[in-house]
Amino acid sequence: DSCTSTTKSKSEHIHFQAMSNAIGNAVRRGSDGMLDALLDLEQGFIDAGAAEGRTYGEAKGSEDGLLAGFTAGHALGTEVGAYKGAVRVWEELLPMTASTKGAIARMVQWIDVLPQMDPETDAYHDTIVQIRSTYKMITINLKTGNTHGTGGGDAGANPEVRLDF
């Protein structure tokens, strides 16, 4: 692209200047200074290459990190959105006991608090684990017809609602 070619031509110009300066210095010093001039030239190229590589690496690393963050954030947002959508369906269509409603209320509360939390903390990750485990517990209870939250059975099941997960 044009940005890379501009950077490359500037870099080539700097390398050419360094080579010209080293040759000029060698000529002024005579044959004894030729090796020193070549070593200076080599070190100049090494330093220029390192600086160029560092600049490119920082820009590329920042770009890659941003993309990875967006991807992970999107995946988590999609997951949490699916949980919230499931809660809405459950609340509208399924009869539930106070225990199941309480578990759903806790899950919604954790979901609502999540965006205000710092994703770098253990509390954030613990909250995600709580949301996931509560979702699994609720789906198991609803699937088995146990809306009391005490383990299998048909207690509280609605015979007209079939949950096939």
Side-chain angles (χ1 to χ4, degrees), residues 17 22 35 54 78-79 82 93 99-100 106 116 124 138 145 148 161:
Q17 280 183 326
L35 181 58
R54 194 170 14 266
T78 300
E79 177 186 356
L93 299 178
S99 175
T100 302
R106 282 189 305 279
Q116 287 85 35
Y124 180 84
I138 293 168
H148 296 291
V161 177

Side-chain angles (χ1 to χ4, degrees), residues 31-148:
S31 61
D32 292 339
M34 189 66 105
L35 181 58
D36 289 338
L38 288 174
L39 291 174
D40 290 345
L41 177 64
E42 179 184 27
Q43 189 60 48
F45 282 122
I46 290 170
D47 292 345
E52 210 173 294
R54 194 170 14 266
T55 300
Y56 175 79
E58 287 171 356
K60 186 66 175 158
S62 182
E63 185 180 302
D64 289 350
L66 183 64
L67 180 61
F70 279 142
T71 302
H74 179 268
L76 183 60
T78 300
E79 177 186 356
V80 171
Y83 296 150
K84 202 157 187 177
V87 165
R88 286 190 179 153
V89 170
W90 295 338
E91 290 174 335
E92 290 294 320
L93 299 178
L94 301 177
M96 289 179 266
T97 64
S99 175
T100 302
K101 287 179 183 179
I104 288 174
R106 282 189 305 279
M107 192 170 110
V108 169
Q109 182 181 19
W110 292 323
I111 289 171
D112 290 342
V113 167
L114 200 60
Q116 287 85 35
M117 297 179 76
D118 180 1
E120 299 290 324
T121 63
D122 288 340
Y124 180 84
H125 296 284
D126 292 346
T127 301
I128 292 171
V129 168
Q130 288 174 320
I131 292 168
R132 288 175 178 153
S133 62
T134 302
Y135 175 81
K136 288 176 185 175
M137 181 203 63
I138 293 168
T139 57
I140 288 169
N141 285 336
L142 292 173
K143 185 175 181 180
T144 61
N146 176 22
T147 55
H148 296 291

